[in-house]
Amino acid sequence: LSRGLGDVYKRQLIISLFGGSLGIDRFILGQVGLGVGKLLTCGGCGIWSIVDWFLIMDATRQSNAQKLFAVIG
């Protein structure tokens, strides 16, 4: 049941590659506003999606840390 952090990052990168222009990657991270923005602009005409391929790992790491801190207290 436990997965390594590398698996989580790989999964998020794959989601970003295939669904990034629709904002799916941002919706999964709980960033609804950014997800809607990407959805309405088709990933910023593709530019936003390409930039996110490089930024999504850090965004995933931050989201996981926030969830962990919420659970811990």
Side-chain angles (χ1 to χ4, degrees), residues 8-18 52-54 56-57 60:
V8 173
Y9 299 136
K10 287 177 192 174
R11 183 189 70 211
Q12 191 65 25
L13 180 61
I14 291 170
I15 291 170
S16 183
L17 289 171
F18 293 106
D52 257 0
W53 295 344
F54 298 98
I56 201 68
M57 295 300 156
T60 303

Side-chain angles (χ1 to χ4, degrees), residues 7-72:
D7 293 339
V8 173
Y9 299 136
K10 287 177 192 174
R11 183 189 70 211
Q12 191 65 25
L13 180 61
I14 291 170
I15 291 170
S16 183
L17 289 171
F18 293 106
S21 62
L22 300 175
I24 295 171
D25 53 347
R26 293 297 181 165
F27 285 118
I28 289 174
L29 292 175
Q31 299 171 342
V32 177
L34 289 174
V36 170
K38 283 182 75 173
L39 179 63
L40 294 177
T41 63
C42 293
C45 297
I47 295 170
W48 194 353
S49 294
I50 293 170
V51 170
D52 257 0
W53 295 344
F54 298 98
L55 299 178
I56 201 68
M57 295 300 156
D58 187 48
T60 303
R61 188 176 302 113
Q62 289 176 359
S63 176
N64 288 341
Q66 288 174 351
K67 290 176 186 176
L68 177 65
F69 291 137
V71 170
I72 291 175

